[in-house]
Coordinates of all heavy atoms in Angstrom, one line a residue:
A1 N -20.8 -11.1 4.4 CA -20.4 -12.1 3.4 C -20.2 -13.3 4.1 O -20.0 -13.5 5.2 CB -19.1 -11.7 2.6
H2 N -20.2 -14.6 3.3 CA -19.9 -15.8 4.0 C -18.7 -16.4 3.5 O -18.3 -16.4 2.3 CB -21.1 -16.8 3.6 CG -22.5 -16.4 4.1 ND1 -22.8 -16.4 5.4 CD2 -23.6 -15.8 3.4 CE1 -24.0 -15.9 5.6 NE2 -24.5 -15.5 4.4
A3 N -17.9 -16.9 4.4 CA -16.6 -17.4 4.1 C -16.8 -18.9 3.5 O -17.7 -19.6 3.8 CB -15.7 -17.6 5.4
D4 N -15.9 -19.2 2.6 CA -16.0 -20.6 2.1 C -14.5 -21.0 1.9 O -13.6 -20.4 2.5 CB -16.7 -20.7 0.9 CG -16.4 -19.7 -0.3 OD1 -15.2 -19.2 -0.2 OD2 -17.2 -19.2 -1.0
D5 N -14.2 -21.9 1.0 CA -12.9 -22.4 0.8 C -12.1 -21.5 -0.1 O -10.9 -21.6 -0.3 CB -12.9 -23.7 0.2 CG -13.5 -24.8 1.1 OD1 -13.4 -24.6 2.4 OD2 -14.0 -25.9 0.6
A6 N -12.7 -20.5 -0.7 CA -12.0 -19.6 -1.6 C -11.1 -18.7 -0.8 O -11.4 -18.3 0.3 CB -13.0 -18.8 -2.5
V7 N -10.0 -18.3 -1.4 CA -9.0 -17.4 -0.8 C -9.0 -16.1 -1.6 O -8.8 -16.1 -2.8 CB -7.6 -18.0 -0.8 CG1 -6.6 -17.0 -0.3 CG2 -7.5 -19.3 0.1
V8 N -9.2 -15.1 -0.9 CA -9.2 -13.7 -1.4 C -7.7 -13.3 -1.4 O -7.2 -13.1 -0.3 CB -10.2 -12.7 -0.7 CG1 -10.0 -11.3 -1.3 CG2 -11.6 -13.2 -0.8
E9 N -7.2 -12.9 -2.6 CA -5.8 -12.3 -2.6 C -5.9 -10.9 -3.0 O -6.4 -10.5 -4.1 CB -5.0 -13.1 -3.6 CG -3.6 -12.6 -3.7 CD -2.7 -13.5 -4.7 OE1 -2.6 -14.7 -4.4 OE2 -2.2 -12.9 -5.6
R10 N -5.4 -10.1 -2.2 CA -5.5 -8.6 -2.4 C -4.1 -8.0 -2.8 O -3.2 -8.0 -1.9 CB -5.9 -7.9 -1.1 CG -6.4 -6.5 -1.3 CD -7.7 -6.4 -2.0 NE -8.2 -4.9 -2.1 CZ -9.2 -4.6 -2.8 NH1 -9.9 -5.5 -3.5 NH2 -9.6 -3.3 -3.0
R11 N -3.9 -7.7 -4.1 CA -2.7 -7.3 -4.6 C -2.6 -5.8 -4.1 O -3.3 -4.9 -4.5 CB -2.6 -7.4 -6.0 CG -2.7 -8.8 -6.7 CD -2.9 -8.8 -8.1 NE -4.0 -7.9 -8.5 CZ -4.3 -7.4 -9.7 NH1 -3.4 -7.6 -10.7 NH2 -5.4 -6.7 -9.9
T12 N -1.5 -5.6 -3.2 CA -1.4 -4.3 -2.5 C -0.1 -3.6 -3.0 O 0.9 -4.2 -3.1 CB -1.4 -4.5 -1.0 OG1 -2.6 -5.1 -0.6 CG2 -1.2 -3.2 -0.2
L13 N -0.3 -2.3 -3.3 CA 0.8 -1.5 -3.8 C 1.0 -0.3 -2.9 O 0.4 0.7 -2.9 CB 0.6 -1.0 -5.2 CG 1.7 -0.1 -5.8 CD1 3.0 -0.9 -5.9 CD2 1.2 0.4 -7.2
P14 N 2.1 -0.5 -1.9 CA 2.4 0.7 -1.1 C 3.3 1.7 -2.0 O 4.1 1.1 -2.8 CB 3.3 0.2 0.0 CG 3.1 -1.3 0.0 CD 2.7 -1.7 -1.5
V15 N 3.0 2.9 -1.9 CA 3.7 4.0 -2.8 C 4.3 5.0 -1.9 O 3.6 5.6 -1.1 CB 2.8 4.6 -3.8 CG1 3.6 5.5 -4.7 CG2 2.1 3.5 -4.7
L16 N 5.6 5.2 -2.0 CA 6.3 6.2 -1.3 C 6.1 7.6 -2.1 O 6.5 7.6 -3.2 CB 7.7 6.0 -1.1 CG 8.1 4.6 -0.5 CD1 9.6 4.4 -0.2 CD2 7.3 4.5 0.8
V17 N 5.5 8.6 -1.4 CA 5.1 9.8 -2.1 C 5.8 10.9 -1.4 O 5.8 11.0 -0.2 CB 3.5 9.9 -2.1 CG1 3.2 11.3 -2.6 CG2 2.8 8.9 -2.9
E18 N 6.4 11.7 -2.2 CA 7.1 12.9 -1.7 C 6.5 14.2 -2.4 O 5.7 14.0 -3.4 CB 8.5 13.0 -2.0 CG 9.2 11.9 -1.2 CD 10.8 11.9 -1.4 OE1 11.2 12.2 -2.5 OE2 11.5 11.5 -0.4
F19 N 6.6 15.4 -1.8 CA 6.0 16.6 -2.3 C 7.1 17.5 -2.9 O 8.3 17.2 -2.6 CB 5.3 17.3 -1.2 CG 4.2 16.6 -0.6 CD1 4.3 16.0 0.7 CD2 3.0 16.3 -1.3 CE1 3.3 15.3 1.3 CE2 2.0 15.5 -0.7 CZ 2.2 15.0 0.6
A20 N 6.7 18.5 -3.6 CA 7.6 19.4 -4.2 C 8.5 20.1 -3.2 O 9.7 20.4 -3.5 CB 7.0 20.4 -5.1
D21 N 7.9 20.3 -2.0 CA 8.6 21.0 -1.0 C 8.9 20.2 0.3 O 9.3 20.7 1.4 CB 7.8 22.3 -0.6 CG 6.5 22.0 0.1 OD1 6.0 20.7 -0.1 OD2 6.0 22.8 0.9
S22 N 8.7 18.8 0.3 CA 8.9 18.0 1.3 C 9.1 16.5 0.9 O 8.4 15.9 0.2 CB 7.6 18.0 2.3 OG 7.8 17.2 3.4
A23 N 10.4 16.1 1.5 CA 10.8 14.7 1.2 C 11.0 13.9 2.4 O 11.1 14.5 3.5 CB 12.2 14.7 0.4
F24 N 11.1 12.6 2.4 CA 11.4 11.8 3.6 C 12.8 12.3 4.1 O 13.7 12.4 3.4 CB 11.4 10.3 3.2 CG 10.1 9.8 2.8 CD1 9.8 9.4 1.5 CD2 9.1 9.6 3.8 CE1 8.6 9.0 1.1 CE2 7.8 9.0 3.4 CZ 7.6 8.7 2.1
Q25 N 12.8 12.4 5.5 CA 14.0 12.7 6.2 C 15.1 11.6 6.1 O 16.4 11.8 6.0 CB 13.8 13.2 7.5 CG 13.0 14.4 7.7 CD 12.7 14.8 9.1 OE1 12.7 14.0 10.0 NE2 12.7 16.2 9.4
H26 N 14.6 10.4 6.1 CA 15.4 9.2 6.1 C 14.9 8.2 5.0 O 14.4 7.1 5.4 CB 15.4 8.5 7.5 CG 15.9 9.5 8.6 ND1 17.2 9.9 8.8 CD2 15.1 10.1 9.6 CE1 17.2 10.7 9.8 NE2 16.0 10.8 10.3
P27 N 15.1 8.5 3.8 CA 14.5 7.8 2.7 C 15.0 6.3 2.7 O 14.1 5.4 2.4 CB 14.9 8.4 1.5 CG 16.1 9.3 1.8 CD 15.9 9.7 3.3

């Protein structure tokens, strides 16, 4: 692609996911 004056904004969603048998040790 070619860059120009336009700014690309990427709305990003980190999601903390746990399982039925495994959770974060230090949430």
Side-chain angles (χ1 to χ4, degrees):
H2 296 290
D4 53 28
D5 293 333
V7 175
V8 174
E9 183 175 304
R10 194 72 177 172
R11 299 170 302 163
T12 300
L13 182 59
V15 182
L16 305 184
V17 173
E18 296 180 326
F19 302 105
D21 64 341
S22 180
F24 292 108
Q25 293 181 332
H26 305 284

